[in-house]
Amino acid sequence: MIKTIVIIGAGLAGATAARSLRAQGYQGKIHMVGEEACVAYDRPSLSKDVLAGKLGDPPFIMDPFWYASADIDLHLGVRVTSIDVVSRQVLFESGHTLAYDRLLLATGVRARRMAIMGCELAGIHTLRDNADSFALRQVLGPGKSLVIVGGGLIGCEVATTARKAGTTVTILEAGDELLLRVLGHKIGAWCRAELELMGVRIELNAQASHFEGKGHVRAVVCADGRRVAADVVLISIGAEPADELARAAGIACERGVLVDATGASSCPEVFAVGDVAAWPLRAGGRRSLETYMNSQMQAETAAAAMLGTPVPAPQVPTSWTEIAGHRMQMIGDFGGPGEIVLRGDVQNGQPLVLFRLLDGRIEAATAINAAKEFSIATRLVVGRVPVSAKQLQDASLNLRELLKTKAQLCT
């Protein structure tokens, strides 16, 4: 009988799991442990409205009063130092211990740092939590120059926000295009052009070599000798799963805690969800997805599995962003094989959707300023509806009509 569940990590994935456990009828003890001194909040807003000063603090995921009403025992502002999987206990830095029947790891990721000369200088930032966003907000504005090392989602989001605040912005991207991992080359190039229209300077194939300055950063120097002056630097080169507790406990990890499609780890009674989990993908392989929506789906799946009703849920990466005034929604990976198909023309004010088509099925889709189309595209991807490139390109054909194909095949 499951009497006590301990959740290490009080962010989105941990909070969603706790809510799902209660929704599924679990009435036993739930302990939620978090290193930050507050309950779960919306991290995507940190690079947008919070950084812009439109919000003083990010919105909470759930009302702070919910935890007490749901009888969740919160342990905030504390750190777990080890997990004993034999005695099924977690040990706190204070020496206090908690026993568990089921343990859920939802420890997330930490920003990847750069071990290069000058990395200790003041004025070099990363962005992972509310304190990071507040610190960065204080040093942006007219007359300031920001260099962002890394042209991924967070880097491009911060560039957008900083330019709107009047900051001079340069992005240094080591690859040959922005946003390659999540958006692919074609949309990445389009985003670069939109950012440049805002006044963002973008340097591609620019590998940061070292930082210059005396006490405070003054410039970023690239491996090929390019030098970019900076009052402020943001390192935005990805994140590392915070899986050290699992590794030390002997739980299998490989760039995250290795789990099956229910969230179960290699150790009985231990599960992992969210950014720390290397979760199986529907398209094959597994990895940490680092997306809001996938974290929620994983948390709900693992909650059911912990309670003995496992329903495997291989993931399809699903996320969104706002860059240069455009809302982009993404499902699937654009890095795989297949044909890239364009529908619409955003330059002429039409909704634009980009598809990756493989063997007559949509494996990935990206929508720009096209929420309705993305909703249908998501159903086409998840439902593995058979389509052709000609159908997708025909703007006169309502995408919803393609959903009828699956319905007809199922009758």
Side-chain angles (χ1 to χ4, degrees):
M1 183 177 180
I2 302 172
K3 295 182 178 180
T4 303
I5 294 176
V6 174
I7 301 172
I8 304 178
L12 170 69
T16 302
R19 180 174 59 190
S20 187
L21 286 167
R22 291 299 188 222
Q24 293 181 51
Y26 174 68
Q27 297 179 349
K29 277 282 187 184
I30 299 178
H31 294 276
M32 181 176 292
V33 184
E35 290 192 15
E36 288 189 77
C38 62
V39 293
Y41 56 82
D42 178 70
R43 291 186 188 274
S45 65
L46 298 179
S47 58
K48 305 176 188 72
D49 287 350
V50 174
L51 184 61
K54 295 179 181 178
L55 294 175
D57 289 296
F60 290 113
I61 300 297
M62 275 124 50
D63 189 302
F65 294 106
W66 175 83
Y67 298 88
S69 68
D71 195 23
I72 309 296
D73 289 343
L74 292 173
H75 307 263
L76 301 177
V78 297
R79 191 169 73 88
V80 172
T81 55
S82 65
I83 302 166
D84 186 334
V85 296
V86 176
S87 63
R88 292 192 298 190
Q89 289 186 329
V90 298
L91 174 67
F92 290 88
E93 193 171 39
S94 65
H96 178 66
T97 61
L98 271 178
Y100 64 83
D101 297 306
R102 296 290 184 272
L103 175 65
L104 181 65
L105 297 171
T107 47
V109 294
R110 60 177 54 85
R112 187 178 294 137
R113 296 183 179 273
M114 302 184 75
I116 60 177
M117 188 174 68
C119 63
E120 77 289 346
L121 292 170
I124 299 176
H125 298 251
T126 56
L127 180 56
R128 276 300 303 163
D129 59 29
N130 192 26
D132 293 337
S133 184
F134 181 79
L136 190 57
R137 185 171 74 195
Q138 303 310 300
V139 293
L140 299 180
K144 297 290 186 179
S145 59
L146 167 68
V147 173
I148 300 171
V149 180
L153 283 178
I154 291 178
C156 291
E157 289 169 357
V158 170
T160 298
T161 303
R163 275 303 298 146
K164 289 179 179 178
T167 309
T168 299
V169 180
T170 301
I171 296 176
L172 301 179
E173 166 55 43
D176 64 359
E177 193 51 85
L178 301 181
L179 299 158
L180 284 177
R181 186 171 70 88
V182 289
L183 292 176
H185 203 282
K186 190 177 292 288
I187 297 296
W190 180 82
C191 287
R192 172 167 52 87
E194 292 296 298
L195 286 166
E196 288 174 336
L197 285 174
M198 291 186 69
V200 178
R201 174 186 171 190
I202 298 171
E203 299 281 344
L204 301 177
N205 301 303
Q207 179 69 52
S209 169
H210 62 277
F211 302 108
E212 287 184 350
K214 293 184 178 180
H216 194 286
V217 68
R218 291 300 173 212
V220 183
V221 181
C222 298
D224 60 6
R226 277 178 283 182
R227 181 184 184 277
V228 184
D231 299 312
V232 186
V233 170
L234 173 68
I235 297 175
S236 185
I237 56 172
E240 298 287 349
D243 60 6
E244 59 276 3
L245 284 173
R247 288 179 181 276
I251 299 168
C253 296
E254 186 177 334
R255 283 199 49 76
V257 180
L258 292 172
V259 297
D260 67 15
T262 70
S265 77
S266 63
C267 179
E269 292 86 40
V270 179
F271 294 73
V273 295
D275 296 351
V276 75
W279 197 285
L281 306 181
R282 193 181 72 176
R286 68 182 72 209
R287 72 169 192 267
S288 167
L289 294 175
E290 300 178 36
T291 82
Y292 190 102
M293 287 172 273
N294 290 108
S295 290
Q296 289 180 309
M297 289 186 280
Q298 291 172 16
E300 292 166 357
T301 298
M306 284 191 290
L307 298 181
T309 55
V311 179
Q315 298 287 287
V316 180
T318 307
S319 59
W320 66 276
T321 186
E322 290 179 356
I323 295 172
H326 300 282
R327 182 177 179 85
M328 284 170 276
Q329 295 164 281
M330 301 82 75
I331 182 167
D333 287 317
F334 269 90
E339 178 184 2
I340 302 300
V341 180
L342 278 171
R343 177 187 176 92
D345 184 354
V346 73
Q347 300 295 352
N348 293 329
Q350 297 176 4
L352 174 67
V353 187
L354 188 76
F355 300 94
R356 178 168 70 84
L357 192 63
L358 179 65
D359 298 331
R361 312 276 179 171
I362 303 172
E363 295 295 327
T366 295
I368 300 176
N369 303 328
K372 290 182 180 179
E373 288 78 4
F374 182 73
S375 177
I376 301 169
T378 296
R379 293 168 66 186
L380 293 171
V381 173
V382 173
R384 302 188 67 81
V385 177
V387 297
S388 69
K390 185 177 179 180
Q391 288 174 311
L392 293 176
Q393 290 170 328
D394 184 359
S396 67
L397 175 65
N398 191 317
L399 286 177
R400 195 176 298 276
E401 292 296 314
L402 299 177
L403 292 172
K404 296 179 181 179
T405 305
K406 184 177 178 66
Q408 291 168 353
L409 291 173
C410 293
T411 57

